[in-house]
Amino acid sequence: MSYKEERKEKIREQYKNARSLIEKRDLEIRPITVTPMSFNSKDVKRVCAYARVSTDSDNQTTSFELQKEAYKKLIEEHENWTFVDLFSDEGITGTNIRRRKGFQKMIEACKRGEIDLIITKSVARFARNVLDSLSVQQELSQLEPPVGVYFEAEHLDSLDPANKMILLMLFMVAEHESQTKSEIMNWSIDKRYELGMFIIPKLLGYELNADGKMVIVRDEAAIVKLCYYLFLNGFSAKAISLIFQELEFSRKDCLKYQWKESTIKGILTNEKYCGDFCARKTYTPNYQDHIARKNKGNRVQYYERNHHEPIVSREIYHAVLKLIEAHRFTSSGYTIPILQVVSKGGLRGFIPIDRHWDGFSVQNYIDACSSVSECNQKVKRVPVFPEELSGFSEVNQYCFSEKTDMYLSINKEQFSFNIPCMEQLPVENVCMYLHPIFRRIAVTKANESGRNFQWAHRNTEWSPLPKSIKGFARVLFEMMDWDINRRYRIRGKTITQGSEKAIIFDLSRSYGLEMAYSKVPEIDYEGEDFILEYKDCSDIACVLSKNALSELEEQIKEYRIDGYIKHGKLSGN
């Protein structure tokens, strides 16, 4: 039991024992001489009371216990009243009755004919929503027998026709008061955030010290690091949640912590683990339903870097975000790709394409290509026709297309190859390469090092298999300055070296572009060795440095969690 719960329990015990101790004290109670109740209280009635407080603070706990004790005493003092029950909601807002379980339970008892009268402290305690208040009041009055509500502070009975207009006005005032409080609270929170005084929630891996600062909880931080380590090594969020359930990891204030897939995703995307703090990620547009919405620029947001000590480095955190983004385009168990370039041979300067990954920029590809190529990076765009031929139009090359021509079709969603491509390269799995300076795509048969995919299948004849390119499409369309809403077709040609074969597609001559192209030299493939040898260019891409993951692994070893991996207790999807 937490410290707050212990304090609240002590308060409850004090009020439970108060009546038995009252006789020992010199306390005189002087009752009023005239009852303020306007209804006929001589009839035998089955009476219940309803009590509510809107927060779970100690002061509200005191108010809550006082209401319960007062209503029990009031009902017991009337001989013609039969006490049914005391219904209550603690720490629940009054603007939405659907969240108040005690209130709903009381209404159901009224519908079953178990209650004739409800006593509550005030209109505001009953409900702070005009529509809810009126609908409930009308529903209760139409029951057989009708159920009345007595509002003690206002001395009003809901069954008295003379009180209908007064109650309507009071319901409206109560609702307006809630709206005003909501606006004041939001203003107060904004002023706190402007001063960097953030409301810090409970968070796995951290606790608050005496100064209200976030400090690392060593055992829990190890769980967070393991979560990042596993994800960067290809484990999905769902697989990690199952692993943590099996290992029975816990949190300091919650022994039975629920390791759901959403919980793991929340850890992986929480900027607090890299030492930053983002305030007002969500907001509540409607003070009545209290449903939180994601803040997409609807409210002012506050972001402080280096707010507290990080559990993982910012480099690792951003690498995970890139990997999560790539997961939108592929299945689970996906790891960060390594940027490589063919260092020699006929495809020198070509870079293997990962069609799911958009974590590398156009400049990353150009820098990687330039590391082994002597090509000029500043490619000039020149008109197709010289100036003296202006006024003439070029006959589109696709007007003369034959059924044997090879084509690659690309849009922002997917790409596909036609059957002649498959007949020239009769394999089911291939690997794609990009030359970002010459602006060409090459396709070869699958190899052990590349990001391979199935481009076709064959039963009696070849059938194309369109594939998603959502990840890489952003980079490709940006590099070629293509219209994202158009579809492009590129004619291919075959190059061979011994028994090896590749298909080259010149992107600058694609159908759908304006009448301009990149003036680049032709590649001479004759006499070149076709063996693919790669150079690692991950240092150019700067997605995740070589020592970042090993550093995280060392931290995991320090917390003695690596044994779960070494002994085969964990396995990826």
Side-chain angles (χ1 to χ4, degrees):
M1 184 182 295
S2 65
Y3 174 72
K4 177 179 283 189
E5 286 296 326
E6 290 180 357
R7 288 195 58 179
K8 292 172 69 174
E9 189 60 34
K10 288 181 179 178
I11 292 173
R12 295 187 183 101
E13 289 297 326
Q14 289 176 358
Y15 284 96
K16 287 180 181 178
N17 300 330
R19 180 172 295 185
S20 61
L21 298 175
I22 196 67
E23 297 177 356
K24 301 178 181 180
R25 299 173 57 187
D26 187 10
L27 176 63
E28 180 183 359
I29 300 177
R30 298 175 180 177
I32 57 177
T33 56
V34 180
T35 177
M37 294 186 178
S38 59
F39 54 85
N40 184 3
S41 60
K42 295 181 179 180
D43 299 334
V44 176
K45 293 183 179 292
R46 295 163 297 177
V47 183
C48 76
Y50 177 72
R52 180 188 66 82
V53 294
S54 55
T55 67
D56 60 354
S57 65
D58 292 347
N59 290 336
Q60 293 284 42
T61 301
T62 300
S63 173
F64 186 71
E65 294 299 323
L66 281 171
Q67 291 183 58
K68 289 168 63 176
E69 183 65 24
Y71 290 134
K72 282 183 179 180
K73 183 178 179 181
L74 175 64
I75 295 172
E76 290 172 357
E77 286 177 350
H78 286 73
E79 295 181 357
N80 55 333
W81 285 4
T82 302
F83 176 70
V84 177
D85 201 351
L86 176 66
F87 300 93
S88 59
D89 289 298
E90 186 176 7
I92 304 295
T93 177
T95 56
N96 193 329
I97 63 175
R98 288 181 291 276
R99 295 188 178 187
R100 294 151 62 186
K101 295 182 180 179
F103 189 91
Q104 295 285 4
K105 185 178 178 181
M106 178 181 67
I107 300 301
E108 291 300 319
C110 293
K111 292 179 180 179
R112 293 193 300 268
E114 300 173 0
I115 298 171
D116 298 318
L117 177 66
I118 300 172
I119 299 178
T120 189
K121 182 178 180 181
S122 65
V123 167
R125 293 297 91 192
F126 187 73
R128 286 183 175 270
N129 182 302
V130 173
L131 292 179
D132 285 346
S133 302
L134 292 177
S135 62
V136 170
Q137 179 185 338
Q138 184 177 7
E139 184 179 16
L140 294 176
S141 64
Q142 293 177 350
L143 295 175
E144 287 293 338
V147 178
V149 182
Y150 183 76
F151 303 97
E152 189 178 18
E154 294 84 5
H155 309 315
L156 295 175
D157 176 17
S158 65
L159 295 180
D160 188 345
N163 295 333
K164 286 186 177 181
M165 184 59 67
I166 299 175
L167 285 173
L168 174 60
M169 297 299 295
L170 291 175
F171 289 148
M172 294 175 63
V173 170
E175 180 175 327
H176 180 71
E177 183 183 357
S178 289
Q179 182 180 2
T180 303
K181 286 183 177 180
S182 177
E183 293 172 354
I184 293 174
M185 183 64 68
N186 284 328
W187 180 89
S188 175
I189 291 174
D190 279 330
K191 294 304 176 184
R192 287 189 55 174
Y193 287 171
E194 287 175 5
L195 298 174
M197 301 171 61
F198 302 128
I199 299 174
I200 302 175
K202 292 182 179 179
L203 189 65
L204 178 73
Y206 289 99
E207 64 181 2
L208 300 182
N209 62 13
D211 298 326
K213 304 294 183 181
M214 295 175 66
V215 294
I216 292 177
V217 179
R218 183 180 177 83
D219 293 339
E220 295 180 2
I223 300 174
V224 174
K225 291 177 181 178
L226 179 60
C227 183
Y228 276 79
Y229 177 81
L230 293 175
F231 191 77
L232 290 173
N233 277 279
F235 289 81
S236 66
K238 183 176 181 179
I240 296 173
S241 68
L242 295 175
I243 289 167
F244 284 8
Q245 291 175 27
E246 181 180 350
L247 299 179
E248 298 181 350
F249 286 149
S250 62
R251 202 172 75 176
K252 186 176 180 180
D253 59 344
C254 185
L255 296 178
K256 294 183 179 179
Y257 198 66
Q258 293 185 343
W259 294 108
K260 300 179 181 179
E261 182 179 357
S262 59
T263 305
I264 301 301
K265 289 181 179 178
I267 293 174
L268 295 171
T269 57
N270 196 326
E271 81 291 339
K272 296 177 182 63
Y273 290 118
C274 73
D276 297 348
F277 197 107
C278 181
R280 206 183 279 282
K281 294 180 184 177
T282 61
Y283 73 104
T284 306
N286 191 333
Y287 71 95
Q288 292 181 337
D289 59 22
H290 296 273
I291 297 176
R293 308 289 184 186
K294 189 173 182 179
N295 186 0
K296 298 180 179 179
N298 309 84
R299 297 288 189 275
V300 178
Q301 208 169 56
Y302 306 84
Y303 195 100
E304 182 177 349
R305 292 169 65 90
N306 303 316
H307 174 267
H308 52 272
E309 184 181 357
I311 291 178
V312 299
S313 68
R314 188 172 282 106
E315 181 183 9
I316 288 174
Y317 171 71
H318 286 295
V320 166
L321 293 186
K322 285 183 177 291
L323 193 55
I324 291 174
E325 180 69 14
H327 277 189
R328 296 193 300 115
F329 312 133
T330 186
S331 57
S332 59
Y334 185 71
T335 56
I336 291 180
I338 298 174
L339 186 62
Q340 294 178 316
V341 61
V342 179
S343 58
K344 59 178 64 176
L347 296 183
R348 177 185 172 88
F350 278 81
I351 299 168
I353 295 175
D354 190 320
R355 58 193 178 90
H356 300 304
W357 180 253
D358 73 339
F360 303 137
S361 66
V362 174
Q363 192 60 45
N364 288 152
Y365 285 101
I366 292 176
D367 291 343
C369 178
S370 301
S371 67
V372 298
S373 175
E374 298 177 356
C375 301
N376 181 14
Q377 295 185 31
K378 298 181 180 179
V379 179
K380 297 181 180 179
R381 300 181 67 81
V382 298
V384 173
F385 301 116
E387 189 173 334
E388 60 269 18
L389 294 180
S390 60
F392 290 85
S393 61
E394 181 187 32
V395 178
N396 193 292
Q397 60 175 325
Y398 295 96
C399 293
F400 301 98
S401 298
E402 300 179 1
K403 291 183 179 180
T404 57
D405 289 341
M406 297 175 291
Y407 289 107
L408 165 63
S409 298
I410 299 177
N411 60 32
K412 64 180 180 180
E413 298 288 335
Q414 63 182 21
F415 67 96
S416 62
F417 299 86
N418 65 354
I419 294 177
C421 293
M422 301 161 197
E423 292 173 344
Q424 287 293 321
L425 203 61
V427 292
E428 290 191 357
N429 296 298
V430 296
C431 184
M432 289 179 64
Y433 300 83
L434 170 71
H435 198 297
I437 298 177
F438 288 156
R439 299 185 180 181
R440 290 180 172 89
I441 283 180
V443 180
T444 67
K445 70 177 183 179
N447 61 81
E448 295 181 358
S449 303
R451 281 281 180 180
N452 305 319
F453 64 92
Q454 187 180 7
W455 75 334
H457 62 79
R458 185 175 187 178
N459 295 324
T460 56
E461 59 184 24
W462 288 107
S463 298
L465 289 177
K467 292 292 182 180
S468 170
I469 198 174
K470 290 182 180 179
F472 181 69
R474 179 192 62 81
V475 175
L476 180 61
F477 275 67
E478 179 184 342
M479 181 184 71
M480 296 304 302
D481 195 23
W482 282 350
D483 183 348
I484 197 69
N485 296 314
R486 299 185 68 177
R487 182 170 176 264
Y488 295 90
R489 292 185 68 197
I490 308 100
R491 178 182 284 172
K493 66 178 181 179
T494 305
I495 62 172
T496 59
Q497 176 66 37
S499 61
E500 300 297 328
K501 183 182 292 187
I503 304 175
I504 304 295
F505 299 89
D506 188 350
L507 298 173
S508 63
R509 302 294 293 173
S510 59
Y511 176 69
L513 289 176
E514 298 176 359
M515 298 304 292
Y517 69 98
S518 301
K519 188 177 181 180
V520 295
E522 288 293 329
I523 305 176
D524 182 13
Y525 299 101
E526 297 297 330
E528 291 282 1
D529 187 1
F530 211 66
I531 299 175
L532 299 174
E533 294 187 14
Y534 299 98
K535 173 186 175 183
D536 187 352
C537 296
S538 59
D539 54 331
I540 293 177
C542 297
V543 175
L544 188 63
S545 62
K546 295 179 180 179
N547 64 347
L549 197 57
S550 60
E551 179 183 347
L552 184 61
E553 185 176 3
E554 288 299 320
Q555 292 174 323
I556 295 299
K557 289 180 180 178
E558 180 185 352
Y559 292 112
R560 301 181 183 279
I561 297 181
D562 61 313
Y564 293 115
I565 302 175
K566 286 183 178 179
H567 294 98
K569 293 188 177 181
L570 307 183
S571 58
N573 285 2

